[in-house]
Amino acid sequence: MQPLILVVGGAGYIGSHTALALRDAGFRTLVLDDFSTGHRGALLGGDCVDVDLLDVRTLGDALRAHRPQAVVHFAARCYVGESVADPGLYYRNNVVGTMNLLEAMVAADVRRIVFSSTCATYGLPDRLPIEESCPQRPINPYGNTKLACEFLLHDFGRAHGVSSVALRYFNAAGADPGCRLGEDHRPEAHLIPLTLAAAAGRRGPLEIFGNDYPTPDGTCIRDYVHVSDLADAHVLALQSLMDGADGMRAFNLGNATGASVAEVVAACARVTGRDVPHVIVARRPGDPPRLIGSTERIERELGWRARRSSLEQIVATAWAWHERHPDGYAD
Ligand code: UDP
């Protein structure tokens, strides 16, 4: 029998792509989700249990009943602005939820976990590209909660022998190249889906948050990585845990190259063959001018490669999914 992997938050954007990649790699998956932001349509018929990480009893029952060989954990709130306005929501969901999950895992003798972390744990980096050894000094509650979760992983490793990998994502984007899954946040706040919606005429003009940054074209630079490349990295991280890697390890997951907002808009215009109506507005508070991750460590230690992360591929797969699902998932 193939190992069973519990995918916590597997109805969300990155979680659903990873559940698919795990099944493609021969694992069995069980999604655990509370469907607060995830979509039933993203399960693609896979097994699922409807559980809130704050419901300790039901969570413990689920872990003991299914006894997965490992957990991949995505469930979290992930909007910087919302985290500033309502930090309690973020500490409760992200930190308390992760602590409950780790305690339920230990009680059920499940001791391997791959965790969704973020480049937001680095805050404003001193140098680029950002390496894993750079100081982690988040500048908002969202980043603080993810860093707190990394501390939990470290401490549960020491105390209870939980082995873990934290994957610090840069900007996840794109959609399953087979067009089975895509990006559907409600409300949508991410650049590429918003740009494509503007190109499709489903929204007003894209608002570009500032063009007076110290970058070549004045707009912010980010490191966009294809969601299916991210999903592959989770499979590799999990395999390393199954092969006996212990302790807590952290890897950046980006594309090691940057694209500016203006370059993303131009790529969307090229791929869609449409104009992208846009206006320049004020900077969004808290946006660093440039974030680019070094991916040397994950390439060296796990053999990961970004295979689909050219801006062209990212935008083309996202556009294909959005054209076929203009209103997102049916649910
Ligand atoms: N951005 C923008 N307009 C939007 C949404 C995003 O100009 O409507 C910019 C944002 O300032 C950042 C980049 O696009 O420089 C990526 O933003 P996103 O919210 O997608 O991801 P983040 O980098 O915040 O995680």
Side-chain angles (χ1 to χ4, degrees):
M1 181 101 85
Q2 296 300 325
L4 176 69
I5 310 302
L6 187 70
V7 186
V8 178
Y13 173 46
I14 305 173
S16 59
H17 283 79
T18 300
L20 192 59
L22 286 167
R23 291 201 290 275
D24 286 347
F27 292 100
R28 290 181 300 133
T29 61
L30 175 66
V31 166
L32 185 150
D33 207 292
D34 67 359
F35 295 98
S36 55
T37 56
H39 304 283
R40 291 190 192 273
L43 299 174
L44 300 180
D47 293 335
C48 129
V49 286
D50 194 335
V51 177
D52 180 342
L53 292 182
L54 300 179
D55 179 352
V56 173
R57 178 174 301 199
T58 314
L59 178 63
D61 289 348
L63 264 294
R64 273 192 306 276
H66 297 284
R67 286 286 303 277
Q69 271 84 351
V71 172
V72 188
H73 173 33
F74 299 93
R77 313 287 302 199
C78 60
Y79 289 112
V80 169
E82 189 182 49
S83 80
V84 174
D86 192 354
L89 177 72
Y90 275 67
Y91 280 88
R92 204 162 39 251
N93 271 272
N94 298 2
V95 183
V96 178
T98 299
M99 189 184 71
N100 290 347
L101 176 62
L102 285 166
E103 290 193 317
M105 286 171 56
V106 170
D109 197 19
V110 179
R111 290 175 205 268
R112 300 180 187 105
I113 180 167
V114 180
F115 173 70
S116 301
S117 189
T118 168
C119 66
T121 59
Y122 295 114
L124 297 171
D126 298 333
R127 57 177 199 277
L128 295 175
I130 301 171
E131 293 170 356
E132 288 84 349
S133 55
C134 287
Q136 287 179 287
R137 293 184 294 238
I139 55 166
N140 52 58
Y142 167 63
N144 285 336
T145 62
K146 287 289 184 173
L147 183 55
C149 291
E150 289 200 11
F151 287 140
L152 279 171
L153 294 177
H154 183 263
D155 293 340
F156 270 68
R158 285 241 170 118
H160 303 298
V162 174
S163 50
S164 63
V165 174
L167 296 175
R168 297 179 187 150
Y169 309 151
F170 284 71
N171 287 60
D176 168 48
C179 218
R180 295 164 290 181
L181 296 167
E183 183 168 13
D184 179 2
H185 297 111
R186 299 179 196 185
E188 189 54 76
H190 293 111
L191 178 64
I192 291 177
L194 288 176
T195 307
L196 293 176
R202 284 198 303 277
R203 284 178 182 259
L206 173 76
E207 294 189 331
I208 294 180
F209 299 144
N211 66 350
D212 56 352
Y213 283 96
T215 60
D217 63 27
T219 62
C220 282
I221 292 177
R222 293 288 177 275
D223 183 345
Y224 296 90
V225 53
H226 196 287
V227 64
S228 298
D229 285 338
L230 282 185
D232 288 350
H234 291 77
V235 176
L236 291 171
L238 188 73
Q239 276 162 344
S240 77
L241 295 176
M242 305 293 270
D243 291 343
D246 59 5
M248 187 244 177
R249 290 169 304 149
F251 298 100
N252 285 342
L253 257 186
N255 182 22
T257 47
S260 71
V261 174
E263 287 169 338
V264 169
V265 171
C268 290
R270 266 196 315 277
V271 168
T272 61
R274 303 184 186 200
D275 285 337
V276 177
H278 60 272
V279 290
I280 309 291
V281 298
R283 292 182 177 193
R284 187 172 65 177
D287 261 341
R290 283 168 61 128
L291 289 175
I292 299 173
S294 162
T295 52
E296 264 177 44
R297 183 186 283 183
I298 192 164
E299 291 180 13
R300 190 177 61 243
E301 294 190 23
L302 298 184
W304 178 79
R305 295 283 178 280
R307 294 189 291 127
R308 318 162 180 92
S309 288
S310 72
L311 204 46
E312 229 65 28
Q313 283 167 299
I314 287 173
V315 172
T317 53
W319 178 241
W321 195 79
H322 281 275
E323 277 214 299
R324 229 188 265 182
H325 304 86
D327 300 314
Y329 291 103
D331 55 11

